[in-house]
């Protein structure tokens, strides 16, 4: 790969990220009310990552307050999070799973345990993937994809459901083994109905089905890094070489994609995957890539501590992105510091 790092570069990146994390956290805290309600509430469930982010940032009071508000106003008897406040029905299982992961970190075990049982109703028994979307009437969409399924898999790992997490691994393996155009294209969506990778779609929807590795345009550059991150977390609790091998494959796809991927916010998860691969392998190539992403996070942060990539951003989308980026920054800090 030609990537090399050094202990001094890692220390410098960690030092810089600590300030980046602090500023981002302060921006988020300003949007959490005393009762745990998050503004702006009229944009729906964009605060699903806050319990995770605020917990790793050391703000237990705010994290548990947000969980308390969700418990009071969103938690349903079957473990879903809605009751009229959701408003966002895309990425349904992913949003729920990310909240479950954070609630578990915040020790709000009623939210995490009940929430996971609901999420598992969206897992496809045949492939192990999770349906992306769920309509208000409970109808599941046909499409399952790598990023959203990995998010659900992380929740399964956190709560000890390794049987379900291993099914997610098999889903990733199935999708990877079905590829025929690597390293140029990675088709990452899968049909529940057809039990096959989706390679035919309306050109207007290609963002949701394929990453064309050398095309400098908005794409889900998240795919490689998030897949690697999930597989590393699974490897930590179940150290099977096949998990690590597939993680390397996905991360390699991310690293070898066009340098212009750094023009887009979706590159963020590449740092997540590389940092975890460094922690579990100690290989400098992954440390170097994580350091590169560390400086990207710091360089792209706005003066007020948030991150904005939209030309016409809303407060809700900015909150969603900033909460995610602070969580990734924390992971990179921890992983870069995990090796002497």
């Amino acid at each position: 790969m030609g990537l090399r790092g050094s202990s001094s570069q890692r220390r410098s990146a960690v030092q810089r990220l600590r300030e980046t994390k602090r500023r981002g956290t302060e921006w988020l805290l300003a949007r959490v009310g005393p009762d745990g309600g998050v503004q702006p509430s009229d944009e729906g469930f964009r605060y699903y990552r806050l319990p995770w982010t605020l917990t790793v940032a050391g703000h237990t009071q705010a994290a548990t307050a947000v969980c308390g508000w969700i418990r009071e106003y969103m938690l349903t008897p079957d473990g879903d999070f809605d009751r009229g406040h959701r408003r966002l029905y895309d990425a349904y299982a992913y949003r729920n799973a990310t909240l479950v992961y954070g609630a578990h970190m915040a020790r709000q075990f009623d939210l995490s345990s009940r929430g996971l049982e609901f999420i598992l109703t969206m897992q496809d028994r045949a492939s192990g993937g999770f349906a992306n979307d769920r309509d208000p009437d409970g109808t599941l969409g046909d499409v399952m994809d790598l990023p959203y399924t990995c998010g659900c898999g992380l929740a399964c790992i956190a709560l000890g459901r390794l049987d379900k997490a291993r099914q997610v691994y098999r889903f990733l393996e199935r999708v990877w083994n079905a590829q025929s155009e690597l390293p140029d294209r990675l088709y990452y969506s899968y049909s529940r109905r057809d039990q096959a990778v989706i390679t035919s779609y309306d050109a207007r929807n290609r963002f949701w089905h394929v990453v064309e590795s050398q095309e400098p345009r908005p794409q889900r550059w998240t795919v490689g890094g998030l897949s690697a991150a999930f597989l590393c977390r699974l490897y930590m609790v179940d150290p099977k070489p096949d998990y690590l091998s597939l993680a390397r494959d996905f991360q390699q796809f991310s690293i070898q994609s066009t340098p212009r991927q750094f023009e887009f916010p979706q590159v963020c998860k590449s740092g997540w995957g590389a940092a975890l691969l460094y922690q579990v392998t100690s290989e400098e190539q992954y440390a170097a890539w994580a350091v590169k992403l560390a400086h990207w996070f710091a360089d792209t942060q706005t003066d007020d501590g948030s991150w904005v990539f939209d030309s016409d951003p809303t407060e809700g989308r900015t909150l969603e992105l900033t909460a995610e980026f602070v969580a990734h920054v924390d992971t990179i800090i921890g992983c870069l510091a995990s090796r002497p």
Side-chain angles (χ1 to χ4, degrees):
M1 293 183 192
L3 292 173
R4 293 291 184 271
S6 70
S7 59
S8 62
Q9 289 171 337
R10 294 196 297 273
R11 288 194 298 270
S12 176
V14 167
Q15 184 175 9
R16 193 176 185 203
L17 283 189
R18 288 174 61 187
E19 176 64 12
T20 301
K21 176 181 171 182
R22 182 194 65 78
R23 293 175 59 234
T25 302
E26 288 184 355
W27 188 92
L28 293 169
L29 287 170
R31 278 128 190 101
V32 179
D35 64 348
V38 181
Q39 296 299 324
S41 59
D42 60 345
E43 290 193 49
F45 194 34
R46 295 195 179 275
Y47 41 86
Y48 57 90
R49 200 180 297 268
L50 277 185
W52 174 352
T53 302
L54 294 173
T55 296
V56 299
H59 291 276
T60 306
Q61 180 177 344
T64 53
V66 172
C67 287
W69 193 94
I70 290 171
R71 179 185 294 110
E72 181 71 19
Y73 296 107
M74 292 189 71
L75 181 63
T76 67
D78 61 354
D80 192 12
F81 305 107
D82 194 350
R83 289 167 56 189
H85 292 279
R86 187 180 195 100
R87 302 185 187 180
L88 299 172
Y89 290 89
D90 65 311
Y92 203 101
Y94 179 82
R95 295 182 198 274
N96 280 31
T98 304
L99 174 61
V100 162
Y101 191 88
H104 203 68
M105 294 175 68
R107 296 160 293 179
Q108 306 304 296
F109 300 136
D110 58 330
L111 295 183
S112 61
S113 61
R114 291 169 63 184
L116 182 63
E117 291 308 311
F118 177 84
I119 295 165
L120 291 177
T121 66
M122 299 179 67
Q123 187 172 31
D124 179 49
R125 292 185 179 181
S127 67
F130 283 79
N132 287 2
D133 304 323
R134 181 180 185 273
D135 293 335
D137 65 1
T139 302
L140 298 181
D142 178 60
V143 176
M144 305 177 291
D145 69 24
L146 292 175
Y148 293 157
T149 291
C150 285
C152 296
L154 287 167
C156 293
I157 294 171
L159 275 80
R161 293 300 303 271
L162 295 187
D163 56 331
K164 301 299 184 181
R166 292 187 186 104
Q167 290 177 30
V168 171
Y169 159 70
R170 287 191 286 273
F171 177 75
L172 268 64
E173 183 183 45
R174 182 187 301 241
V175 173
W176 182 265
N177 288 341
Q179 302 300 314
S180 61
E181 299 182 41
L182 292 171
D184 297 324
R185 294 176 184 82
L186 174 57
Y187 296 95
Y188 60 83
S189 291
Y190 195 90
S191 168
R192 287 196 310 125
R193 180 187 61 250
D194 299 334
Q195 289 295 301
V197 172
I198 299 171
T199 58
S200 298
Y201 43 82
D202 188 313
R204 293 171 297 180
N205 293 326
R206 64 179 177 171
F207 180 89
W208 299 106
H209 295 288
V210 64
V211 175
E212 296 175 310
S213 65
Q214 302 308 313
E215 292 294 322
R217 57 179 172 78
Q219 300 193 68
R220 291 180 78 185
W221 303 108
T222 58
V223 172
L226 178 50
S227 299
F230 162 76
L231 290 161
C232 286
R233 291 296 191 200
L234 183 58
Y235 179 82
M236 287 179 176
V237 296
D238 186 23
K240 294 182 178 179
D242 287 348
Y243 303 157
L244 198 54
S245 176
L246 189 56
R248 291 178 183 277
D249 288 338
F250 275 110
Q251 187 64 36
Q252 181 79 350
F253 176 82
S254 180
I255 290 173
Q256 290 187 330
S257 293
T258 173
R260 291 188 62 187
Q261 64 183 297
F262 286 89
E263 297 174 14
F264 308 101
Q266 293 86 2
V267 75
C268 62
K269 290 184 174 69
S270 190
W272 191 9
L276 283 164
L277 271 166
Y278 171 65
Q279 179 173 332
V280 300
T281 69
S282 76
E283 294 180 18
E284 289 295 332
Q285 60 187 358
Y286 299 124
W289 191 254
V291 166
K292 184 173 185 176
L293 265 294
H295 291 297
W296 177 84
F297 279 112
D299 290 341
T300 57
Q301 189 176 34
T302 66
D303 291 341
D304 67 6
S306 66
W307 279 270
V308 178
F309 283 82
D310 292 343
S311 58
D312 186 23
T314 68
E315 182 98 342
R317 289 200 298 269
T318 301
L319 184 144
E320 187 174 24
L321 190 69
T322 300
E324 176 175 5
F325 279 20
V326 171
H328 294 329
V329 162
D330 174 80
T331 298
I332 294 173
I333 289 172
C335 291
L336 289 180
S338 67
R339 293 279 178 174

